[in-house]
Each structure stands twice: as C-alpha cells, then as structure tokens.
C-alpha cells in the first residue's frame, strides 16, 4: 500500500511552515521560509513545500492556518500583516495546484483548537486562546469546537488604539524602533499592562474556563511578562 500523508501549513505574517503528517501518525519536521507578500508567489511556494515534505507519498489533504479571516465566498480578508492576500481564494488555489481537498482556517483558531484537544486547554470546556506575535489573534473553543461567532481580539479598542497596534511585534518595531527581544523590561511591563486590559475585555465576551497564550511575544526571547 502506498504511503499517505496529510499536509499542515502555518502561514504567518513573517514566516510560513509546512509539514507532513503520516496518516494516523506523528507530525514530521516542518520546513520554514519567509512568507512572500505576493500571494501568487506564496501559493506556489506552499504547493512546492507540500510536495517536498511529502517525499513522494500520496497527499490526502491539506490544512492551512492563515492570519486573517474568511468570508462566505471563501475569500481571505482582514489579513493585516499580509494585505496583498486579501480577496484570495486560498483553498481553491491550493486545491487546483495539488488536486487534493484543502481547508483554510484562521491560524489562531486552529492553534486554540489544538490547545483544547491536546494542549493546555484539554481539561476545560471553554478555552480562550490568544496569540501575540507579528499580530494579535485568538478565539474561543467550546466543547472542542471553534465558536462560529468570532470576537476579533486584536481589533478591540483600548483608548484610541487597537490592541494589535499596541502589543504586537509589528507595533514594537514601529513604536520603539527595535526588535521585540531587545525591548527593555520597563517597556515590556507596559505591554503586559495593556495585554491585561485586553484579556479582561475578552473575558467579558468569552467567559472562558482558562486562557491559553501563544506566539513569539509570549514564548520567545524576553517575552511579555
């Protein structure tokens, strides 16, 4: 019987990763490259990396986590850090390129789903997942399923600004003119205070049993405390 794999992809505002998962088995080591701003190049690279990590095996399906949302026509929108990808029918384009079923979902929602099933949220009925990285995203997982009524945590307003524009890696580079890992502890404490306000607002909407945090600003070098 020929070897079969599923392909999983994480398209981030900075990098994208593609890995193969042997059907019924474990996830293999991912390949990582910078995310192209041009979606035509990005789609071609995703298809190329999918074939590479499959290593000749038959690809059964592909799932893509993307830092944006999907409308009723399966078009991407609200891709703040990849604006040229807005309007692209990513699942349709990848399906045509690889001739396999493709499912695209918001990357933070997929991360939250994983935490609810196999991570820090697995013992809770309602999980609030928040990722702070190049941007800010998140979602609510209820009884192991994604809440279909999204609350866009990165766009919630705190004072005159949106949360994403105050604590994300992109905002740190714009406001403080340095890389996030080089930010002084006093400035990181300010980010922590802002995030706390954002989480208190999110709690009013989600009422989670637990918050789970992810992303490079929370887990990387010199994270938000």
């Amino acid at each position: 019987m020929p070897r079969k794999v599923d392909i999983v992809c994480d398209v981030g505002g900075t990098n994208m990763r593609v890995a193969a998962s042997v059907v019924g088995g474990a996830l293999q080591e991912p390949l990582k490259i910078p995310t192209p701003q041009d979606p035509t190049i990005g789609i071609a690279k995703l298809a190329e990396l999918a074939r590479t990590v499959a290593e000749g095996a038959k690809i059964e399906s592909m799932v893509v986590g993307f830092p944006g949302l999907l409308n009723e026509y399966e078009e991407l929108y609200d891709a703040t850090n990849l604006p040229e990808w807005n309007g692209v029918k990513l699942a349709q384009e990848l399906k045509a390129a690889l001739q396999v079923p493709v499912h695209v979902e918001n990357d933070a929602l997929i991360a939250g789903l994983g935490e609810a099933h196999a991570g820090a949220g697995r013992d809770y009925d309602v999980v609030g997942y928040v990722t702070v990285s190049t941007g800010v995203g998140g979602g609510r997982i209820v009884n192991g399923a994604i809440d279909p009524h999204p609350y866009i945590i990165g766009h919630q307003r705190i004072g005159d600004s949106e949360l994403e524009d105050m604590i994300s890696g992109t905002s740190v580079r714009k406001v403080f003119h340095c890389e996030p890992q080089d930010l002084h502890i006093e400035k990181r404490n300010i980010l922590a205070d802002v995030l706390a306000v954002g989480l208190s607002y999110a709690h009013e909407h989600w009422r989670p049993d637990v918050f789970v945090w992810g992303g490079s600003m929370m887990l990387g070098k010199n994270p938000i405390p």
Side-chain angles (χ1 to χ4, degrees), residues 135-159:
V136 176
R140 183 173 184 254
I141 311 299
V142 182
N143 296 323
I146 294 172
D147 184 345
H149 305 99
Y151 166 67
I152 315 302
I153 186 171
H155 289 338
Q156 68 175 332
R157 299 198 71 81
I158 299 178

Side-chain angles (χ1 to χ4, degrees), residues 45-180:
K45 287 293 185 182
L46 285 172
E48 177 186 329
L49 291 174
R51 296 187 185 99
T52 299
V53 297
E55 297 181 335
K58 183 179 186 298
I59 298 175
E60 291 282 281
S61 68
M62 185 179 204
V63 174
V64 183
F66 186 84
L69 300 172
L70 291 165
N71 64 20
E72 58 186 306
Y73 305 107
E74 297 189 349
E75 297 169 333
L76 300 171
Y77 74 97
D78 197 40
T80 306
N81 295 300
L82 294 171
E84 294 182 36
W85 292 64
N86 285 317
V88 172
K89 294 185 176 182
L90 183 55
Q92 181 176 304
E93 295 281 354
L94 288 169
K95 181 178 179 180
L98 294 169
Q99 297 299 302
V100 300
V102 178
H103 181 76
V104 176
E105 182 57 89
N106 174 265
D107 56 350
L109 291 178
I110 287 182
L113 194 64
E115 292 289 355
H117 280 272
R122 62 186 177 277
D123 296 325
Y124 301 92
D125 294 331
V126 182
V127 178
Y129 179 77
V130 180
T131 180
V132 186
S133 187
T134 304
V136 176
R140 183 173 184 254
I141 311 299
V142 182
N143 296 323
I146 294 172
D147 184 345
H149 305 99
Y151 166 67
I152 315 302
I153 186 171
H155 289 338
Q156 68 175 332
R157 299 198 71 81
I158 299 178
D160 296 328
S161 301
E162 293 187 352
L163 182 63
E164 183 170 77
D165 294 333
M166 301 174 76
I167 65 170
S168 67
T170 300
S171 69
V172 166
R173 295 182 183 96
K174 288 181 179 179
V175 175
F176 299 109
H177 308 292
C178 69
E179 290 301 307

